[in-house]
């Protein structure tokens, strides 16, 4: 849904969102695959379940694109804000507990540095694509 909203606003914003989702989902799916294999599930079945569980995303994107085709910006803007907030929540809910449990200063500094690099990348992208 987020991809459909961002692509409906601007193809560049949609592309950046797609890249962010890609870089999140690939490691996530690899870890899911590894966990399911570790439970001794057959490889064919793991592929099947990964496919089935990924299928709602493109279907939801298509439905959202069709529904949003004739919707005004007054509806899209709050939806985009909700999507951005969801991304921030997911990132912070996953990252903050890890930082709080870490006791080695070098690891904490590395995590904070990577977070700041991410903020810097987003700032840079905002200046490259100012619209």
């Amino acid at each position: 849904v987020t991809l459909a909203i961002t692509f409906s606003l601007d193809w560049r914003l949609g592309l950046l969102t797609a890249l962010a989702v890609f870089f999140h989902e690939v490691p996530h799916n690899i870890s899911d695959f590894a966990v399911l294999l570790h439970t001794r599930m057959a490889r064919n079945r793991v592929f099947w379940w990964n496919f089935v569980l990924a299928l709602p995303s493109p279907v939801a994107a298509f439905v959202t694109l069709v529904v949003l085709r004739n919707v005004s910006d007054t509806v899209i803007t709050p939806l985009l804000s909700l999507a951005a907030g969801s991304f921030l929540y997911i990132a912070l809910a996953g990252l903050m507990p890890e930082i709080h449990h870490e006791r080695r200063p070098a690891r904490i500094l590395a995590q904070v540095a990577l977070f700041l690099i991410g903020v810097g990348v987003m700032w840079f992208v905002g200046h490259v694509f100012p619209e």
Side-chain angles (χ1 to χ4, degrees), residues 27-77:
H28 182 257
N29 286 336
I30 290 171
S31 65
D32 287 349
F33 191 85
V35 167
L36 291 174
L37 282 180
H38 186 70
T39 64
R40 305 217 192 292
M41 185 182 284
R43 189 177 297 257
N44 306 13
R45 202 159 172 220
V46 172
F47 276 119
W48 169 251
W49 279 111
N50 271 344
F51 174 75
V52 167
L53 293 174
L55 198 56
S57 294
V59 172
F62 177 75
V63 169
T64 303
L65 277 173
V66 170
V67 169
L68 292 180
R69 183 169 292 171
N70 297 319
V71 175
S72 71
D73 286 345
T74 58
V75 174
I76 291 178
T77 302

Side-chain angles (χ1 to χ4, degrees), residues 55-120:
L55 198 56
S57 294
V59 172
F62 177 75
V63 169
T64 303
L65 277 173
V66 170
V67 169
L68 292 180
R69 183 169 292 171
N70 297 319
V71 175
S72 71
D73 286 345
T74 58
V75 174
I76 291 178
T77 302
L79 289 175
L80 185 60
S81 300
L82 183 65
S86 297
F87 275 124
L88 287 172
Y89 171 76
I90 290 168
L92 291 175
L95 292 175
M96 293 310 284
E98 292 297 320
I99 292 173
H100 284 292
H101 291 313
E102 187 60 58
R103 298 290 177 233
R104 294 174 285 190
R107 297 281 306 242
I108 294 170
L109 186 60
Q111 289 174 349
V112 171
L114 288 171
F115 177 77
L116 292 175
I117 288 170
V119 170

